[in-house]
Amino acid sequence: MRISARADYAVRAVLELAVRQDDGPMKAEAIATVQDIPHKFLEGILGDLRRAGLVDSRRGGNGGYRLARDASAITVADVIRAVDGPIVSVRGVRPTGLSYAGSAEPLLPLWIALRANVRRILEGVTIADIATGALPENVQLLAAEPAAWENP
């Protein structure tokens, strides 16, 4: 699985809004600067997040972006889906839309299992979890495995 720059930037932008939620709306330029995200690219991402109902925007001098709901109600999966679509796809097709014949038939349950595991992680971590540094125990255990840090 590959996390796109768009998804990475989106999660970082939503996280920045979460940790600064009490400070009022945040300008896109400020988010871009703090998170080192290209401003024009971020504008498109924020538009996708707004259309998905994850952030609100307000125009004007005191305007900017805020989370549309509590950070504990927004998962990493929500953010990724808002900017990239389905979490796991094969050649751009959701695994449930695939079919294989012959010796390739066992691939379908493999792709489905991969999707289930990715979902389990990304749907189980909220923006609030990241903002408070309190990742769920199952995520911490996986990240603590030495092999997780190796590049085969």
Side-chain angles (χ1 to χ4, degrees):
M1 180 184 170
R2 183 179 161 274
I3 302 295
S4 70
R6 188 171 186 80
D8 178 56
Y9 291 163
V11 172
R12 288 166 45 199
V14 170
L15 179 59
E16 194 63 35
L17 292 173
V19 298
R20 299 181 189 275
Q21 189 73 350
D22 294 337
D23 299 341
M26 192 170 183
K27 302 259 186 232
E29 298 85 9
I31 299 168
T33 299
V34 171
Q35 287 296 323
D36 195 26
I37 300 170
H39 177 252
K40 287 292 184 189
F41 197 33
L42 180 60
E43 287 285 353
I45 291 168
L46 290 168
D48 288 343
L49 294 170
R50 187 178 45 74
R51 284 186 287 283
L54 300 178
V55 301
D56 288 326
S57 62
R58 188 174 4 159
R59 295 186 184 269
N62 292 329
Y65 292 89
R66 297 181 59 105
L67 294 182
R69 54 187 196 236
D70 193 83
S72 65
I74 300 172
T75 67
V76 174
D78 294 331
V79 177
I80 293 173
R81 285 186 185 113
V83 299
D84 275 353
I87 299 284
V88 174
S89 64
V90 179
R91 301 182 326 262
V93 177
R94 291 179 178 179
T96 53
L98 298 170
S99 65
Y100 295 100
S103 61
E105 226 173 298
L107 279 177
L108 186 56
L110 174 66
W111 300 149
I112 296 294
L114 173 68
R115 179 175 74 165
N117 268 329
V118 170
R119 278 181 168 174
R120 183 175 298 133
I121 297 295
L122 298 179
E123 291 175 350
V125 178
T126 69
I127 297 302
D129 294 334
I130 302 168
T132 61
L135 293 174
E137 186 177 352
N138 65 323
V139 174
Q140 291 181 42
L141 289 172
L142 286 169
E145 293 177 13
W149 294 89
E150 295 175 11
N151 294 322

